[in-house]
Amino acid sequence: MFDEIKVAYQGIAGAYSHLACLNCFGENVRCCESETFEDAMEMVEVGNVDFALIPIENKTAGRVDEFYGLIPNMKLQIVGEHYQKIEHCLLGIKESSLEDVVYAYSHPQGLAQCRNGLDELDIRPIAQFDTAGSAREVAKLQDKSLSAVASSLAAEIYGLKILKENIQDQKDNFTR
């Protein structure tokens, strides 16, 4: 029997990088949260995890410049590549409906990627630190007027209802 594979990613449970870890390594992987890309990469360097899964570019947002600044200062090597489809969902508390929602929390990139969809629904975007953190905040506040633009995994983890799937404007968006 093989030892458990441990993979670090930047973000909290439900982040797209968390989803990418599960999709890339399978459901038996141990996904380890980290606050920054650098923290995730350092976890590999010191031997706390086997791999770090770090985004290097997004089809609509472009290069993740922070990664390119970090890699020359580390002993790490790129050993694989994974393409994660980005399918934004509009999430709300169990009691809410699309008609109740006034605001959408998310990372600025997530909001920008859903600009037309949110406009059509007359939902006002409110920028937050990240997508999964936005879902966690909506779950905590339990306000029917609030929603989050995040992954379906975030909905599952934080007990939210998917009010609308694939709300992103560009349906073939992915992160590498």
Side-chain angles (χ1 to χ4, degrees):
M1 177 150 244
F2 294 105
D3 289 337
E4 177 183 56
I5 294 174
K6 293 180 268 194
V7 180
Y9 66 93
Q10 184 278 322
I12 64 168
Y16 281 99
S17 290
H18 180 198
L19 182 60
C21 285
L22 295 172
N23 289 336
C24 183
F25 292 95
E27 61 185 48
N28 293 325
V29 67
R30 182 167 165 218
C31 301
C32 303
E33 300 176 4
S34 64
E35 193 168 320
T36 66
F37 297 142
E38 185 174 14
D39 291 343
M41 294 163 74
E42 283 180 8
M43 289 171 75
V44 178
E45 282 206 331
V46 299
N48 291 339
V49 298
D50 302 299
F51 301 100
L53 196 133
I54 306 293
I56 61 172
E57 72 178 330
N58 175 271
K59 185 175 179 191
T60 61
R63 274 174 50 132
V64 179
D65 290 330
E66 183 181 350
F67 168 78
Y68 291 97
L70 292 171
I71 198 71
N73 301 320
M74 303 196 132
K75 297 174 188 138
L76 302 180
Q77 297 179 4
I78 297 172
V79 296
E81 179 175 66
H82 173 74
Y83 289 85
Q84 179 62 50
K85 188 163 177 56
I86 304 299
E87 297 175 311
H88 291 301
C89 297
L90 187 67
L91 312 177
I93 62 171
K94 296 287 184 193
E95 300 77 22
S96 67
S97 67
L98 278 176
E99 293 75 31
D100 297 320
V101 175
V102 178
Y103 303 103
Y105 290 176
S106 196
H107 184 276
Q109 286 293 338
L111 294 172
Q113 292 169 8
C114 301
R115 183 182 332 270
N116 294 335
L118 293 173
D119 283 348
E120 287 172 17
L121 295 169
D122 197 27
I123 296 174
R124 288 179 263 173
I126 298 180
Q128 301 289 312
F129 183 69
D130 63 17
T131 58
S134 297
R136 182 174 64 184
E137 184 70 8
V138 167
K140 177 183 160 192
L141 294 173
Q142 289 294 303
D143 182 336
K144 292 196 304 186
S145 71
L146 301 178
S147 67
V149 172
S151 70
S152 59
L153 179 60
E156 182 182 324
I157 289 170
Y158 299 109
L160 296 173
K161 176 168 70 172
I162 297 175
L163 301 173
K164 186 169 176 123
E165 292 182 309
N166 295 317
I167 192 169
Q168 69 275 4
D169 300 335
Q170 186 175 343
K171 301 303 180 198
D172 63 344
N173 188 17
F174 62 86
T175 297
R176 178 169 72 100

